[in-house]
């Protein structure tokens, strides 16, 4: 009987602890997605291939590393590199994007922080290029997917898309440099994530990048 009571108490405590974690009050004071103003341009891509870590919760917490895909060197073990073709709005040319990302320092579920720092180099042949620097916090899709799993529906983030805020006290998403017709320009950007029904716990399905130039 004592063992049964102890097991029941452990399960109840685990459920309460998980609930409090997912209802983390710090998330209500989290930074909001970057607001864009003026003329906004959008680029979309699908993260099918990459080198380095996978964008999964355990990887972003630094708990495990991909044995086959991760970089071997400890200094870049929790880093990721992508080369993607980015499609623009109807009638606009595509761009080539190189995206480097790494686990954000201080990721912690108790602080509602599950992010990456990112650096972009986006090239439009014949037009020029843009360099971007920022961070993204994946706490919202993790929270929604965890609630779904707790209800026995599997890890499925519920929203069709997630505008990603910067990591708290992390890098503010900015356009930092440009060449060609973008030389001397500055501005801000925001990334969005749309969960994949095939691998909902991989935070790299269909992605969009919105940016405005000041």
């Amino acid at each position: 009987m004592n063992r049964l009571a102890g097991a029941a108490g452990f399960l109840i405590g685990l459920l309460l602890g998980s609930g409090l974690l997912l209802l983390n009050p710090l998330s209500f004071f989290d930074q909001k997605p970057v607001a864009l103003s003026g003329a906004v341009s959008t680029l979309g891509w699908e993260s099918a291939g990459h080198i380095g870590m996978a964008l999964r919760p355990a990887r972003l917490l630094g708990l495990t590393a991909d044995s086959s895909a991760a970089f071997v060197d400890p200094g870049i073990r929790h880093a990721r590199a992508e080369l993607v073709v980015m499609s623009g709005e109807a009638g606009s040319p595509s761009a080539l994007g190189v995206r480097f990302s790494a686990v954000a320092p201080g990721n912690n579920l108790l602080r509602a922080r599950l992010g990456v720092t990112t650096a972009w180099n986006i090239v439009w042949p014949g037009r020029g290029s843009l360099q971007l620097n920022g961070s993204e916090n994946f706490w919202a899709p993790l929270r929604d997917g965890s609630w779904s799993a707790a209800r026995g529906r599997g890890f499925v983030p519920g929203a069709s898309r997630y505008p990603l805020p910067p990591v708290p006290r992390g890098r503010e998403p900015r356009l930092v440099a440009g060449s060609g017709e973008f030389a001397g320009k500055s501005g801000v950007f925001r990334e969005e994530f749309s969960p994949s029904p095939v691998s909902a716990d991989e935070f790299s399905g269909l992605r969009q990048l919105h940016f405005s130039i000041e």
Side-chain angles (χ1 to χ4, degrees):
M1 182 60 104
N2 289 336
R3 290 182 179 180
L4 182 61
F10 174 77
L11 290 175
I12 292 173
L14 182 63
L15 290 172
L16 288 175
S18 300
L20 289 174
L21 179 64
L22 295 175
L23 289 173
N24 194 327
L26 292 179
S27 65
F28 297 106
F29 301 98
D30 197 3
Q31 290 178 267
K32 302 299 181 184
V34 172
L36 306 175
S37 60
V40 178
S41 299
T42 298
L43 294 169
W45 79 98
E46 187 167 3
S47 297
H50 70 278
I51 301 174
M53 71 170 186
L55 285 177
R56 298 181 185 274
R59 291 0 181 206
L60 296 181
L61 289 170
L63 299 179
T64 58
D66 304 62
S67 58
S68 60
F71 293 113
V72 176
D73 191 289
I76 56 174
R77 187 179 183 186
H78 299 293
R80 174 186 177 98
E82 298 174 71
L83 177 65
V84 295
V85 176
M86 310 178 77
S87 59
E89 295 97 334
S92 62
S94 297
L96 182 65
V98 180
R99 182 181 190 271
F100 297 102
S101 56
V103 170
N107 276 353
N108 189 321
L109 295 185
L110 294 176
R111 298 165 59 192
R113 178 172 174 148
L114 189 75
V116 295
T117 59
T118 58
W120 275 102
N121 187 11
I122 303 174
V123 179
W124 288 265
R127 293 182 60 193
S129 65
L130 276 175
Q131 288 77 52
L132 291 71
N133 199 330
S135 63
E136 292 82 42
N137 191 5
F138 289 91
W139 170 257
L142 172 70
R143 177 198 60 210
D144 293 354
S146 298
W147 275 120
S148 173
R151 295 195 298 268
R153 301 175 183 176
F155 188 95
V156 182
S160 60
R161 64 185 184 91
Y162 288 90
L164 300 174
V167 173
R169 293 176 294 281
R171 294 178 180 174
E172 195 73 22
R174 301 287 303 178
L175 281 59
V176 295
S179 66
E181 66 181 71
F182 304 104
K185 304 293 186 181
S186 61
V188 295
F189 74 96
R190 180 181 72 224
E191 287 195 27
E192 292 188 3
F193 158 66
S194 295
S196 167
V198 178
S199 54
D201 63 338
E202 169 73 40
F203 295 152
S204 63
L206 181 64
R207 304 289 293 275
Q208 285 190 328
L209 185 148
H210 309 279
F211 65 92
S212 61
I213 297 178
E214 299 170 353

